[in-house]
Amino acid sequence: VQLDENKKPLLALVKTNNYNEAIHIVLVGCGQSDIDSRYESETKDHKRISGLAKSWKRLKCKYIHDIPNLPELMDLDDDGTPSQVRICPRVKELVDKLTVSSNALPS
């Protein structure tokens, strides 16, 4: 789901006690510094995206994790194409938490 997509279907799942503890949200590039770098400050788009990011972060679910924008996680070749993805500590922590959590889900 992209930040500005309708989150009503997800909200319906989060509001039911059956699913809110099984939902994990990973926000990529939704930190305030990421938003500030992409949108001119105090513009309508900046305010809208900032508000949407805050609303996603307030959802009541098992886990919400925010990682930096994808280009910050990639090593680029001279021509600007990604050559490899760096496993930064935040991404490793995220993968570890998601792995542990998925193993705990009932089958």
Side-chain angles (χ1 to χ4, degrees):
V1 175
Q2 291 194 0
L3 195 61
D4 57 354
E5 287 183 15
N6 182 1
K7 65 180 179 202
K8 286 182 183 177
L10 181 60
L11 283 174
L13 290 174
V14 169
K15 288 180 180 178
T16 65
N17 289 332
N18 298 338
Y19 298 105
N20 64 340
E21 285 298 311
I23 294 174
H24 299 267
I25 296 174
V26 178
L27 301 169
V28 178
C30 294
Q32 196 59 49
S33 62
D34 292 312
I35 294 169
D36 291 345
S37 69
R38 285 191 309 253
Y39 298 94
E40 241 181 87
S41 185
E42 300 306 316
T43 61
K44 188 159 94 172
D45 283 339
H46 183 273
K47 289 177 184 178
R48 182 176 68 84
I49 295 297
S50 292
L52 286 168
K54 287 176 186 171
S55 71
W56 276 98
K57 291 174 185 179
R58 286 192 300 259
L59 288 177
K60 302 283 189 232
C61 61
K62 175 88 173 179
Y63 183 71
I64 297 178
H65 194 79
D66 194 3
I67 60 175
N69 203 3
L70 288 178
E72 295 177 27
L73 302 176
M74 296 180 189
D75 291 326
L76 302 178
D77 289 335
D78 292 336
D79 64 355
T81 58
S83 60
Q84 69 180 46
V85 176
R86 281 177 277 160
I87 302 299
C88 70
R90 292 175 74 184
V91 173
K92 180 164 179 9
E93 173 191 348
L94 168 66
V95 170
D96 291 345
K97 284 185 178 185
L98 292 174
T99 301
V100 167
S101 185
S102 68
N103 291 335
L105 290 175
S107 23

